Amino acid sequence: MTTKRIALTLGLGLLAGCSAVKKSTIRPDYEQVDKLRVKRLAVVTQPLPDGQQAVGDLWSLIARQYVNQNRDFLVKEHAATPGPLDDAGIQALCVNGIEGVLWLHPQVKRTQSGAEAAVQARLVRCGDGEDVWSAEAGGSWESQDPKFRERTEQYVSQFGPSVEPYVVPSYKLLMATLNTLPNPQLTEQDIDEKIELGE
């Protein structure tokens, strides 16, 4: 093994070790099936992070906006619910052209200067309830980050001061997790529809 190759392998290993994402899987038939069919999504956060409705609403909105801006899905609805989410609950979200449900299952705990957060995320296909993609991630982050000041102010003005300590940890966790989502193949009509979402 050459020195360059050893250095690259070590570098990749260190990056993987520091990653918030512990595991990510995509269906083996994704390219043939879901890439063309599962494009329009609803996001649901359940249970509520740290038992707070406002933080659940924050999570779902962050996920909706992030996926619409950084992946090729069209997220059309978002919600947060304390109650258990079973197959019937997922199917109830599969209305008005929704083809899949992005389910975020968080565990969040405040720390002195931030929050410990973990998520089990699933993209569930409407119709048969099969998982298209799943990921597990977690970590601990400080609540204060100058790069996120404007974003934090935006969410605080929308959901109230109680969400402030959660914004940065939630955003960093969800960003890492949702970056592992695959990208569906959009038609020209889909692209126009995505532009109309305006997010």
Side-chain angles (χ1 to χ4, degrees), residues 44-64:
V44 62
T45 300
Q46 185 283 326
L48 298 176
D50 217 6
Q52 298 185 48
Q53 182 68 49
V55 183
D57 294 336
L58 169 75
W59 268 57
S60 291
L61 183 59
I62 288 173
R64 175 184 178 145

PDB file of all heavy atoms in Angstrom, residues 44-64:
ATOM      1  N   VAL A  44     -43.075  13.860   9.391  1.00  0.00           N
ATOM      2  CA  VAL A  44     -43.699  13.815  10.718  1.00  0.00           C
ATOM      3  C   VAL A  44     -42.613  13.529  11.756  1.00  0.00           C
ATOM      4  O   VAL A  44     -41.748  12.689  11.541  1.00  0.00           O
ATOM      5  CB  VAL A  44     -44.843  12.770  10.792  1.00  0.00           C
ATOM      6  CG1 VAL A  44     -44.333  11.362  10.549  1.00  0.00           C
ATOM      7  CG2 VAL A  44     -45.574  12.860  12.126  1.00  0.00           C
ATOM      8  N   THR A  45     -42.646  14.289  12.842  1.00  0.00           N
ATOM      9  CA  THR A  45     -41.757  14.056  13.976  1.00  0.00           C
ATOM     10  C   THR A  45     -42.594  13.443  15.086  1.00  0.00           C
ATOM     11  O   THR A  45     -43.605  14.018  15.501  1.00  0.00           O
ATOM     12  CB  THR A  45     -41.118  15.377  14.458  1.00  0.00           C
ATOM     13  OG1 THR A  45     -40.369  15.941  13.380  1.00  0.00           O
ATOM     14  CG2 THR A  45     -40.206  15.141  15.649  1.00  0.00           C
ATOM     15  N   GLN A  46     -42.196  12.257  15.556  1.00  0.00           N
ATOM     16  CA  GLN A  46     -42.916  11.542  16.602  1.00  0.00           C
ATOM     17  C   GLN A  46     -41.966  10.560  17.255  1.00  0.00           C
ATOM     18  O   GLN A  46     -41.268   9.823  16.554  1.00  0.00           O
ATOM     19  CB  GLN A  46     -44.108  10.806  16.001  1.00  0.00           C
ATOM     20  CG  GLN A  46     -45.017  10.113  16.982  1.00  0.00           C
ATOM     21  CD  GLN A  46     -44.475   8.790  17.539  1.00  0.00           C
ATOM     22  OE1 GLN A  46     -43.795   8.056  16.839  1.00  0.00           O
ATOM     23  NE2 GLN A  46     -44.746   8.501  18.798  1.00  0.00           N
ATOM     24  N   PRO A  47     -41.843  10.571  18.561  1.00  0.00           N
ATOM     25  CA  PRO A  47     -42.536  11.420  19.538  1.00  0.00           C
ATOM     26  C   PRO A  47     -41.941  12.828  19.554  1.00  0.00           C
ATOM     27  O   PRO A  47     -41.006  13.110  18.803  1.00  0.00           O
ATOM     28  CB  PRO A  47     -42.263  10.693  20.867  1.00  0.00           C
ATOM     29  CG  PRO A  47     -40.938  10.023  20.651  1.00  0.00           C
ATOM     30  CD  PRO A  47     -40.932   9.609  19.205  1.00  0.00           C
ATOM     31  N   LEU A  48     -42.506  13.681  20.399  1.00  0.00           N
ATOM     32  CA  LEU A  48     -42.032  15.054  20.474  1.00  0.00           C
ATOM     33  C   LEU A  48     -40.644  15.095  21.123  1.00  0.00           C
ATOM     34  O   LEU A  48     -40.435  14.483  22.173  1.00  0.00           O
ATOM     35  CB  LEU A  48     -43.006  15.907  21.285  1.00  0.00           C
ATOM     36  CG  LEU A  48     -44.419  16.025  20.715  1.00  0.00           C
ATOM     37  CD1 LEU A  48     -45.302  16.818  21.665  1.00  0.00           C
ATOM     38  CD2 LEU A  48     -44.409  16.652  19.320  1.00  0.00           C
ATOM     39  N   PRO A  49     -39.699  15.823  20.522  1.00  0.00           N
ATOM     40  CA  PRO A  49     -38.367  15.931  21.129  1.00  0.00           C
ATOM     41  C   PRO A  49     -38.448  16.615  22.492  1.00  0.00           C
ATOM     42  O   PRO A  49     -39.024  17.690  22.610  1.00  0.00           O
ATOM     43  CB  PRO A  49     -37.588  16.804  20.134  1.00  0.00           C
ATOM     44  CG  PRO A  49     -38.419  16.847  18.894  1.00  0.00           C
ATOM     45  CD  PRO A  49     -39.824  16.569  19.290  1.00  0.00           C
ATOM     46  N   ASP A  50     -37.883  15.986  23.503  1.00  0.00           N
ATOM     47  CA  ASP A  50     -37.885  16.510  24.867  1.00  0.00           C
ATOM     48  C   ASP A  50     -39.304  16.795  25.363  1.00  0.00           C
ATOM     49  O   ASP A  50     -39.520  17.625  26.240  1.00  0.00           O
ATOM     50  CB  ASP A  50     -37.013  17.764  24.978  1.00  0.00           C
ATOM     51  CG  ASP A  50     -36.248  17.838  26.292  1.00  0.00           C
ATOM     52  OD1 ASP A  50     -36.294  16.861  27.072  1.00  0.00           O
ATOM     53  OD2 ASP A  50     -35.616  18.878  26.553  1.00  0.00           O
ATOM     54  N   GLY A  51     -40.300  16.111  24.750  1.00  0.00           N
ATOM     55  CA  GLY A  51     -41.698  16.255  25.166  1.00  0.00           C
ATOM     56  C   GLY A  51     -42.332  17.591  24.853  1.00  0.00           C
ATOM     57  O   GLY A  51     -43.385  17.923  25.402  1.00  0.00           O
ATOM     58  N   GLN A  52     -41.745  18.367  23.942  1.00  0.00           N
ATOM     59  CA  GLN A  52     -42.240  19.718  23.661  1.00  0.00           C
ATOM     60  C   GLN A  52     -42.790  19.833  22.235  1.00  0.00           C
ATOM     61  O   GLN A  52     -42.072  19.554  21.268  1.00  0.00           O
ATOM     62  CB  GLN A  52     -41.122  20.745  23.851  1.00  0.00           C
ATOM     63  CG  GLN A  52     -40.578  20.798  25.269  1.00  0.00           C
ATOM     64  CD  GLN A  52     -39.574  21.912  25.432  1.00  0.00           C
ATOM     65  OE1 GLN A  52     -39.809  23.043  25.022  1.00  0.00           O
ATOM     66  NE2 GLN A  52     -38.438  21.598  26.032  1.00  0.00           N
ATOM     67  N   GLN A  53     -44.039  20.282  22.134  1.00  0.00           N
ATOM     68  CA  GLN A  53     -44.670  20.439  20.828  1.00  0.00           C
ATOM     69  C   GLN A  53     -43.906  21.421  19.950  1.00  0.00           C
ATOM     70  O   GLN A  53     -43.692  21.181  18.756  1.00  0.00           O
ATOM     71  CB  GLN A  53     -46.120  20.917  20.990  1.00  0.00           C
ATOM     72  CG  GLN A  53     -46.882  21.057  19.682  1.00  0.00           C
ATOM     73  CD  GLN A  53     -47.156  19.714  19.009  1.00  0.00           C
ATOM     74  OE1 GLN A  53     -47.634  18.789  19.651  1.00  0.00           O
ATOM     75  NE2 GLN A  53     -46.854  19.595  17.726  1.00  0.00           N
ATOM     76  N   ALA A  54     -43.459  22.533  20.529  1.00  0.00           N
ATOM     77  CA  ALA A  54     -42.759  23.548  19.739  1.00  0.00           C
ATOM     78  C   ALA A  54     -41.467  22.989  19.150  1.00  0.00           C
ATOM     79  O   ALA A  54     -41.101  23.300  18.014  1.00  0.00           O
ATOM     80  CB  ALA A  54     -42.461  24.785  20.592  1.00  0.00           C
ATOM     81  N   VAL A  55     -40.774  22.142  19.906  1.00  0.00           N
ATOM     82  CA  VAL A  55     -39.527  21.561  19.404  1.00  0.00           C
ATOM     83  C   VAL A  55     -39.835  20.520  18.322  1.00  0.00           C
ATOM     84  O   VAL A  55     -39.111  20.398  17.329  1.00  0.00           O
ATOM     85  CB  VAL A  55     -38.683  20.961  20.546  1.00  0.00           C
ATOM     86  CG1 VAL A  55     -37.358  20.421  20.014  1.00  0.00           C
ATOM     87  CG2 VAL A  55     -38.413  22.016  21.620  1.00  0.00           C
ATOM     88  N   GLY A  56     -40.940  19.790  18.476  1.00  0.00           N
ATOM     89  CA  GLY A  56     -41.371  18.873  17.418  1.00  0.00           C
ATOM     90  C   GLY A  56     -41.707  19.620  16.136  1.00  0.00           C
ATOM     91  O   GLY A  56     -41.323  19.204  15.037  1.00  0.00           O
ATOM     92  N   ASP A  57     -42.422  20.737  16.277  1.00  0.00           N
ATOM     93  CA  ASP A  57     -42.743  21.561  15.100  1.00  0.00           C
ATOM     94  C   ASP A  57     -41.468  22.094  14.452  1.00  0.00           C
ATOM     95  O   ASP A  57     -41.359  22.158  13.223  1.00  0.00           O
ATOM     96  CB  ASP A  57     -43.660  22.717  15.503  1.00  0.00           C
ATOM     97  CG  ASP A  57     -45.035  22.229  15.957  1.00  0.00           C
ATOM     98  OD1 ASP A  57     -45.449  21.120  15.561  1.00  0.00           O
ATOM     99  OD2 ASP A  57     -45.702  22.967  16.716  1.00  0.00           O
ATOM    100  N   LEU A  58     -40.501  22.491  15.293  1.00  0.00           N
ATOM    101  CA  LEU A  58     -39.205  22.960  14.795  1.00  0.00           C
ATOM    102  C   LEU A  58     -38.527  21.870  13.971  1.00  0.00           C
ATOM    103  O   LEU A  58     -38.064  22.123  12.852  1.00  0.00           O
ATOM    104  CB  LEU A  58     -38.312  23.366  15.977  1.00  0.00           C
ATOM    105  CG  LEU A  58     -36.838  23.626  15.667  1.00  0.00           C
ATOM    106  CD1 LEU A  58     -36.676  24.957  14.954  1.00  0.00           C
ATOM    107  CD2 LEU A  58     -35.996  23.594  16.945  1.00  0.00           C
ATOM    108  N   TRP A  59     -38.452  20.658  14.515  1.00  0.00           N
ATOM    109  CA  TRP A  59     -37.810  19.543  13.810  1.00  0.00           C
ATOM    110  C   TRP A  59     -38.454  19.307  12.446  1.00  0.00           C
ATOM    111  O   TRP A  59     -37.757  19.160  11.448  1.00  0.00           O
ATOM    112  CB  TRP A  59     -37.917  18.272  14.653  1.00  0.00           C
ATOM    113  CG  TRP A  59     -36.750  18.046  15.554  1.00  0.00           C
ATOM    114  CD1 TRP A  59     -36.265  18.883  16.508  1.00  0.00           C
ATOM    115  CD2 TRP A  59     -35.925  16.884  15.583  1.00  0.00           C
ATOM    116  NE1 TRP A  59     -35.199  18.308  17.138  1.00  0.00           N
ATOM    117  CE2 TRP A  59     -34.966  17.082  16.596  1.00  0.00           C
ATOM    118  CE3 TRP A  59     -35.923  15.690  14.875  1.00  0.00           C
ATOM    119  CZ2 TRP A  59     -33.997  16.137  16.898  1.00  0.00           C
ATOM    120  CZ3 TRP A  59     -34.964  14.739  15.184  1.00  0.00           C
ATOM    121  CH2 TRP A  59     -34.014  14.965  16.177  1.00  0.00           C
ATOM    122  N   SER A  60     -39.774  19.265  12.421  1.00  0.00           N
ATOM    123  CA  SER A  60     -40.458  18.961  11.159  1.00  0.00           C
ATOM    124  C   SER A  60     -40.253  20.062  10.131  1.00  0.00           C
ATOM    125  O   SER A  60     -40.091  19.777   8.940  1.00  0.00           O
ATOM    126  CB  SER A  60     -41.952  18.735  11.413  1.00  0.00           C
ATOM    127  OG  SER A  60     -42.138  17.529  12.132  1.00  0.00           O
ATOM    128  N   LEU A  61     -40.241  21.317  10.583  1.00  0.00           N
ATOM    129  CA  LEU A  61     -40.030  22.415   9.643  1.00  0.00           C
ATOM    130  C   LEU A  61     -38.588  22.431   9.142  1.00  0.00           C
ATOM    131  O   LEU A  61     -38.345  22.641   7.944  1.00  0.00           O
ATOM    132  CB  LEU A  61     -40.390  23.758  10.283  1.00  0.00           C
ATOM    133  CG  LEU A  61     -40.259  24.968   9.341  1.00  0.00           C
ATOM    134  CD1 LEU A  61     -41.164  24.821   8.112  1.00  0.00           C
ATOM    135  CD2 LEU A  61     -40.566  26.267  10.079  1.00  0.00           C
ATOM    136  N   ILE A  62     -37.619  22.211  10.042  1.00  0.00           N
ATOM    137  CA  ILE A  62     -36.220  22.141   9.597  1.00  0.00           C
ATOM    138  C   ILE A  62     -36.085  21.060   8.526  1.00  0.00           C
ATOM    139  O   ILE A  62     -35.479  21.277   7.468  1.00  0.00           O
ATOM    140  CB  ILE A  62     -35.269  21.840  10.779  1.00  0.00           C
ATOM    141  CG1 ILE A  62     -35.135  23.059  11.701  1.00  0.00           C
ATOM    142  CG2 ILE A  62     -33.886  21.425  10.264  1.00  0.00           C
ATOM    143  CD1 ILE A  62     -34.348  22.779  12.982  1.00  0.00           C
ATOM    144  N   ALA A  63     -36.650  19.876   8.783  1.00  0.00           N
ATOM    145  CA  ALA A  63     -36.543  18.762   7.830  1.00  0.00           C
ATOM    146  C   ALA A  63     -37.215  19.106   6.511  1.00  0.00           C
ATOM    147  O   ALA A  63     -36.653  18.855   5.436  1.00  0.00           O
ATOM    148  CB  ALA A  63     -37.150  17.495   8.426  1.00  0.00           C
ATOM    149  N   ARG A  64     -38.409  19.683   6.580  1.00  0.00           N
ATOM    150  CA  ARG A  64     -39.115  20.052   5.348  1.00  0.00           C
ATOM    151  C   ARG A  64     -38.281  21.015   4.515  1.00  0.00           C
ATOM    152  O   ARG A  64     -38.063  20.797   3.321  1.00  0.00           O
ATOM    153  CB  ARG A  64     -40.458  20.690   5.696  1.00  0.00           C
ATOM    154  CG  ARG A  64     -41.196  21.215   4.463  1.00  0.00           C
ATOM    155  CD  ARG A  64     -42.474  21.942   4.812  1.00  0.00           C
ATOM    156  NE  ARG A  64     -43.100  22.455   3.606  1.00  0.00           N
ATOM    157  CZ  ARG A  64     -44.400  22.535   3.415  1.00  0.00           C
ATOM    158  NH1 ARG A  64     -45.225  22.127   4.350  1.00  0.00           N
ATOM    159  NH2 ARG A  64     -44.890  23.004   2.296  1.00  0.00           N
TER     160      ARG A  64
END
